[in-house]
Amino acid sequence: MSERRNVLTPEALAMVDVIARTGSFAAAARELGKVPSALTYSVRQLEEALDVLLFDRRSRQAQLTAAGQELLTEGRRLLQEMDAVANRVRRVASGWETQLSIAVDSILSSLTVFELCEAFYALNPPGGPGTRLRLRSEVLAGTWEALVHGQADLALGVAGEPSPVAGIAIQPLGELMMDFVVAPHHPLARETEPLSDTVLERHRAVAVADTAQRLAPITMNLLPGQDVLTVPSVPAKLEAILRGLGCGFLPRGLVRPHAEVGRLVVKAVARPRSAGRMHYAWRCPPGNGSNPANRQGLGQALQWWLEQIDRPATRNALLERHSGGPTLA
């Protein structure tokens, strides 16, 4: 048993992860800075120690066996836990996290997010001290998934009303008003309002792909049988609509400057138009519960970010300030 435990090092788990992610031993060797033969030898040593076959040698690709998939899943969890332990130890020693990962839905204001980053790095000592920020761009259920599965410490722009999860606190960010828009040269720009679903379904919609990998993805405002152009982010959706490649809903704060100069046309639709309820959420220390008011045991970096987002002006800027306008006070 000790031999098996000894071979399950962070390096070995990370090696399996890289091979599975890149899809081949050669690609993994390049990423890890090794020769393929050395990587193959390391995998065989791991397989012999565990007495299992991790990769199917009959496949030209690095195809995991059932045992290999289990090791990959549990290995990723163990690596995340190791990082979390190191982070907690660092936090106990200094009060500041080694790294703070923030998942941000691409529908929020990137200008405001980077202003917050600037303010954070301006702290004395810089970064508070030594906390590395890691921003993740997510969409819809992917934002919540990143937090739930330990890939983020803080999530901004959690959509809808997610089910309560132990160890995660959640607070309302606000309501995001959306407008249906088309380019001025798009056929729908000349249609009589309000636009019915029958009219809309004849025209291509532009949709942003949900980044969730494990949770059920969210689909919004798409009609059955409607042609869809799927893009990776809200800025990409804006660009596609500006080019007349399709139509769709965009945040009012993002639409406003383009509509004012005639680059976008806002159209009324027959279907009820409602605001999207958004939240921000964060991971709580074990035993701390999920009470948003209880912030004992949180690292100073996370506390700083929460203090900024608690301010109504910051929450409003995240939802509405997509270009220009006054900076955060």
Side-chain angles (χ1 to χ4, degrees), residues 107-135:
I107 206 167
L108 297 184
S109 164
S110 60
L111 289 175
T112 304
V113 172
F114 283 112
E115 284 179 2
L116 289 168
C117 291
E118 287 177 339
F120 180 78
Y121 284 130
L123 294 175
N124 188 19
T131 299
R132 299 189 301 272
L133 294 180
R134 179 170 183 171
L135 301 180

Side-chain angles (χ1 to χ4, degrees), residues 184-233:
H185 57 281
H186 191 279
L188 284 176
R190 299 183 295 275
E191 286 283 350
T192 303
E193 301 175 79
L195 304 177
S196 67
D197 285 357
T198 303
V199 171
L200 292 178
E201 67 186 8
R202 296 199 297 263
H203 297 272
R204 183 185 306 111
V206 182
V208 184
D210 195 315
T211 53
Q213 299 295 315
R214 303 180 189 178
L215 298 180
I218 299 173
T219 301
M220 301 180 66
N221 299 313
L222 295 180
L223 299 171
Q226 187 177 22
D227 184 22
V228 181
L229 167 62
T230 303
V231 295
S233 66

Side-chain angles (χ1 to χ4, degrees), residues 153-193:
D153 306 297
L154 171 65
L156 305 179
V158 176
E161 301 291 343
S163 301
V165 175
I168 292 180
I170 188 166
Q171 284 281 75
L173 184 65
E175 293 188 341
L176 184 66
M177 300 305 298
M178 306 287 285
D179 285 328
F180 183 84
V181 293
V182 295
H185 57 281
H186 191 279
L188 284 176
R190 299 183 295 275
E191 286 283 350
T192 303
E193 301 175 79

Side-chain angles (χ1 to χ4, degrees), residues 29 98 120 139 185 188 234 319:
T98 303
F120 180 78
V139 177
H185 57 281
L188 284 176
V234 172
L319 294 169

Side-chain angles (χ1 to χ4, degrees), residues 181-191 203 238-246 262-265:
V181 293
V182 295
H185 57 281
H186 191 279
L188 284 176
R190 299 183 295 275
E191 286 283 350
H203 297 272
L238 170 63
E239 182 64 27
I241 293 177
L242 287 170
R243 292 176 178 272
L245 299 178
R263 298 185 71 205
L264 285 177
V265 178

